[in-house]
Amino acid sequence: MFSLKNVLYFQAGLGVLANMSLLCFYIFIIVGHRPKPTDLISCQLTFIHIMVCLTGGDLLLTDIFESLNINNDFKCKATFYISRVMRCLSICTTCLLSVFQAVTISPSTSCLAKFKQKLRKYMVYIFLCIWSFSFSYSSSRIFYVRGFTNVSESNQMQITKSCLLFRMNSIIRVFIFTVTTSRDVFLVGMMLTTSTYMVIILCRHQRQCKHLHHSIKHLRASPEKRATQTILLLVIFFVVMYWVDFIISTTSVLVWIYDPVSLMVQKFLMYAYPTISPLVQISSDNRIIIMVKNMYSKHHQRFF
């Protein structure tokens, strides 16, 4: 178990470092250069991933709170609430990124084309709505979470080493489960729909390019195609990780038991997407590769 915890620490640390590097790049691009339409969404998603790595899995932020001798009940409520908010923000922002990219690559004859300028114009308001919804929706969970005590009761379940979840009223539990499931099904459905649409657009574009005798090399070098493929990969990976985590969480609450193996698997899944996604984005974005090469060449010339 100790070695598995070290793996989780490494996974979380790698996620924080990768996302911090990506966040610095996006801030540099947004402030000093001409950003792409999706850069603002990706920048927000990168910040969310940093917070997920810090608050998820009862590791980094919990250790910081312990070093500061903060009250266990406050520590539990704060970490649990922030992790729930970031979880909600993660699925909402990933869905927004998928929808925005689908609208961006849609042809001018498509019905989605009219939303291109509207989405850019109202992007700030969309962000405010997503953050407001995430903060308000996740606030209901605080009342059913408390710091760990040595007193064992049948109506409580240990979900982390410092947190206990208390049994809710059946009506409240059904209501929260229904709303959460409806939200997740709707957002994941939107992701899958837009992903399917983007695949159709890419296949159609590839056939047109072949028909017009364009080179395959030119097609592969298309920035729109590369960005779309990256987003498709991230969305598919996110959907798989999210639903496996959702099944484990739901099953544990229904049977009212969190065994250590399920908890460890859930922590691993919680860190998987925020750790892998920045590495995929860094390796697939030519702007980052060009920036690193320029920095290396300047340093190399200065050194010699």
Side-chain angles (χ1 to χ4, degrees), residues 55-290:
T55 59
D58 198 32
L59 290 176
L60 300 180
L61 193 62
T62 303
D63 292 342
I64 294 173
F65 280 154
E66 285 181 356
S67 65
L68 297 175
N69 294 321
I70 294 177
N71 180 269
N72 192 39
D73 193 53
F74 173 80
K75 173 179 64 178
C76 172
K77 290 180 182 296
T79 52
F80 186 82
Y81 176 66
I82 295 173
S83 65
R84 292 292 99 182
V85 170
M86 294 303 139
R87 178 189 175 92
C88 185
L89 284 170
S90 180
I91 186 171
C92 291
T93 309
T94 304
C95 180
L96 176 62
L97 181 63
S98 180
V99 171
F100 194 91
Q101 184 64 18
V103 173
T104 300
I105 68 169
S106 61
S108 57
T109 55
S110 171
C111 59
L112 296 177
K114 61 183 179 181
F115 294 106
K116 288 184 181 182
Q117 295 302 323
K118 290 183 179 180
L119 274 177
R120 296 180 186 181
K121 182 179 179 182
Y122 297 108
M123 186 61 67
V124 176
Y125 300 104
I126 296 173
F127 285 159
L128 288 175
C129 289
I130 290 175
W131 281 79
S132 300
F133 170 75
S134 300
F135 276 108
S136 59
Y137 176 76
S138 304
S139 61
S140 60
R141 306 293 184 91
I142 300 178
F143 302 104
Y144 299 97
V145 178
R146 294 179 188 172
F148 180 75
T149 59
N150 292 325
V151 180
S152 179
E153 298 181 19
S154 59
N155 66 335
Q156 67 184 26
M157 176 177 65
Q158 187 174 358
I159 52 176
T160 66
K161 68 178 182 181
S162 60
C163 283
L164 294 171
L165 178 66
F166 284 79
R167 194 185 293 271
M168 305 174 189
N169 180 281
S170 58
I171 298 176
I172 298 175
R173 187 167 66 248
V174 170
F175 174 75
I176 292 178
F177 176 78
T178 303
V179 174
T180 303
T181 306
S182 301
R183 179 203 66 185
D184 293 352
V185 168
F186 172 75
L187 293 174
V188 171
M190 286 288 291
M191 288 187 225
L192 294 177
T193 302
T194 52
S195 298
T196 304
Y197 176 76
M198 285 189 282
V199 170
I200 294 172
I201 294 294
L202 286 177
C203 293
R204 187 182 302 169
H205 181 244
Q206 187 170 0
R207 286 198 302 268
Q208 289 174 350
C209 288
K210 286 182 179 179
H211 180 70
L212 296 172
H213 303 286
H214 282 205
S215 64
I216 301 301
K217 184 179 180 181
H218 173 73
L219 180 64
R220 289 178 178 173
S222 170
E224 292 81 8
K225 181 184 177 182
R226 190 163 47 247
T228 304
Q229 288 175 334
T230 302
I231 293 173
L232 281 172
L233 180 62
L234 293 178
V235 167
I236 293 170
F237 184 67
F238 175 85
V239 170
V240 173
M241 293 294 102
Y242 192 89
W243 279 108
V244 173
D245 175 65
F246 179 81
I247 291 170
I248 294 175
S249 301
T250 305
T251 305
S252 300
V253 172
L254 290 176
V255 301
W256 202 248
I257 186 172
Y258 244 122
D259 65 277
V261 177
S262 298
L263 190 61
M264 196 63 65
V265 171
Q266 192 176 17
K267 288 179 180 180
F268 179 82
L269 294 174
M270 189 182 300
Y271 287 129
Y273 178 69
T275 302
I276 294 176
S277 62
L279 300 177
V280 173
Q281 289 175 278
I282 290 172
S283 61
S284 61
D285 196 328
N286 274 349
R287 296 174 301 171
I288 301 178
I289 298 172
I290 292 172

Side-chain angles (χ1 to χ4, degrees), residues 282 286-297:
I282 290 172
N286 274 349
R287 296 174 301 171
I288 301 178
I289 298 172
I290 292 172
M291 182 184 295
V292 172
K293 286 182 178 178
N294 290 338
M295 291 175 61
Y296 174 78
S297 61

